Amino acid sequence: MQPNRREFGLLAASALLTLPALADSYPSKPVTILVPQAPGGTNDVVGRILAQKLTELANSSFIVENRAGANGNIGTDYAARAPKDGYTLLLTVSSTQAINPALYKKVAFDPIKDFEPVAPVGVVPNVLVVNPSVQAKTLEEFLKLARTTKPELQYASAGNGSLNHLLGAMLSNKSGVPLQHVPYRGVAPALTDVMGGQVPAAFASLPSCIQFIKDGKLRALGVSSSKRSPALPDVPAINEVVPGYVGELWVGLFAGRGVPKAVTARLAELVSAAVASPDLRERFRTAGVEPLTGGPARLEQMLQEDIARWAPIVKASGAVVD
């Protein structure tokens, strides 16, 4: 028997009354923050700092779980298929959500339809770094060296079609200097080989390489943000030498599409409070991450803008992954 209009009204009212209670009780068990990249990269660094603060604020555990592979596609697809209860979240980077749909011939997730934006968390530049033995102490010297190196000067990245791959392609395009891309499976092995001298240079996110720079194991030549990073004030922005060169990576928290609105609203409140806290902001900036505030609408706008921005750059680079 179908419920009548009065019964429908009672059901709707009951559902509305349960929303505040749902928000108040969330989280009632540990929450998994799924990071679809390997340990040691930007997303992992940000995720662990954020998880610690959310655990303090919510009085309930937030745990980072890494599911790396295929430039973030494997973990992202897993998060898209997780139960829609708010206990499996996706902390991801703009390159996975905005670049991969243009890079891969087929992806199993839809960045818009499968995910509910919760909040932006931070933004980071990439850094052009070289082995200290490389005869280039400035970006100008690096470009001059690359013009005369035969075969082409190599640079490492976290993988074919990754943001740091495309940043190298953009530098080559805008400066007119040829560079040879060497893809790795993640930023950690790429940096290991640069420090070991197997590859002279790399683009890497600032959080993944800042300690190596401070320890003198890598030399930073330029950051990809529109202005210098407070974490490396003596390192120029690349666009100071190559006009128009800008490429930043944002980190954002998503829930699966279908998670109750009361839960995503509660998560947005928790993330906002976490990012506003002085201790987290200090830890972010020490790691080279600029904190970002804003709710679901801002994160959704950032995602839409980056999808539109990177699709033509991927096409121009010729990078395609089956």
Side-chain angles (χ1 to χ4, degrees):
M1 230 180 125
Q2 294 293 325
N4 59 34
R5 185 176 298 176
R6 180 173 179 276
E7 289 170 327
F8 268 127
L10 289 172
L11 288 170
S14 175
L16 287 173
L17 288 171
T18 62
L19 289 179
L22 183 60
D24 290 342
S25 65
Y26 178 88
S28 59
K29 61 181 181 179
V31 178
T32 296
I33 297 179
L34 198 144
V35 169
Q37 285 81 29
T42 293
N43 209 16
D44 182 64
V45 171
V46 170
R48 293 181 190 280
I49 295 173
L50 179 65
Q52 182 179 341
K53 193 63 186 179
L54 290 176
T55 296
E56 294 173 12
L57 292 172
N59 225 10
S60 185
S61 296
F62 282 75
I63 303 165
V64 171
E65 177 183 329
N66 299 87
R67 281 184 178 260
N71 279 345
N73 286 348
I74 291 173
T76 304
D77 181 45
Y78 179 86
R81 298 173 186 276
K84 312 304 179 191
D85 56 7
Y87 287 94
T88 300
L89 307 175
L90 176 71
L91 187 75
T92 193
V93 288
S94 50
S95 55
T96 296
Q97 293 298 90
I99 294 177
N100 284 8
L103 174 67
Y104 286 79
K105 290 183 178 179
K106 186 180 292 186
V107 290
F109 66 91
D110 186 299
I112 303 296
K113 294 178 181 178
D114 289 338
F115 293 99
E116 189 81 41
V118 173
V121 176
V123 63
V124 300
N126 267 246
V127 190
L128 174 60
V129 292
V130 296
N131 183 288
S133 66
V134 171
Q135 298 301 303
K137 294 187 177 180
T138 66
L139 178 59
E140 292 93 336
E141 290 177 356
F142 176 82
L143 294 175
K144 183 178 180 180
L145 178 65
R147 284 191 182 95
T148 58
T149 299
K150 302 295 179 184
E152 295 174 356
L153 188 67
Q154 295 180 325
Y155 74 96
S157 83
N160 191 31
S162 63
L163 178 60
N164 28 57
H165 167 201
L166 297 178
L167 288 170
M170 188 192 301
L171 178 62
S172 181
N173 179 266
K174 287 187 174 295
S175 67
V177 174
L179 296 169
Q180 182 183 352
H181 174 230
V182 182
Y184 282 77
R185 292 187 176 182
V187 67
L191 292 177
T192 296
D193 271 13
V194 175
M195 289 185 285
Q198 284 83 3
V199 184
F203 275 91
S205 63
L206 183 50
S208 67
C209 65
I210 188 168
Q211 195 56 52
F212 298 130
I213 294 168
K214 290 180 176 180
D215 291 344
K217 296 177 180 179
L218 293 170
R219 179 187 300 140
L221 300 183
V223 295
S224 67
S225 46
S226 59
K227 57 184 180 181
R228 297 189 181 202
S229 169
L232 293 175
D234 296 330
V235 178
I238 293 174
N239 69 17
E240 294 176 30
V241 177
V242 182
Y245 185 99
V246 178
E248 294 178 311
L249 185 80
W250 52 254
V251 182
L253 187 69
F254 293 82
R257 187 73 69 176
V259 169
K261 295 291 184 183
V263 171
T264 56
R266 170 65 174 152
L267 281 165
E269 290 175 359
L270 286 169
V271 173
S272 178
V275 174
S277 64
D279 57 332
L280 180 140
R281 296 176 77 85
E282 180 60 28
R283 290 185 68 190
F284 267 17
R285 286 181 172 142
T286 299
V289 180
E290 191 64 26
L292 270 184
T293 56
R298 184 177 185 189
L299 181 55
E300 184 163 19
Q301 179 184 359
M302 290 163 56
L303 175 59
Q304 297 276 13
E305 288 175 351
D306 263 17
I307 289 173
R309 175 183 297 116
W310 287 107
I313 295 175
V314 171
K315 185 176 181 180
S317 75
V320 177
V321 181
D322 290 330

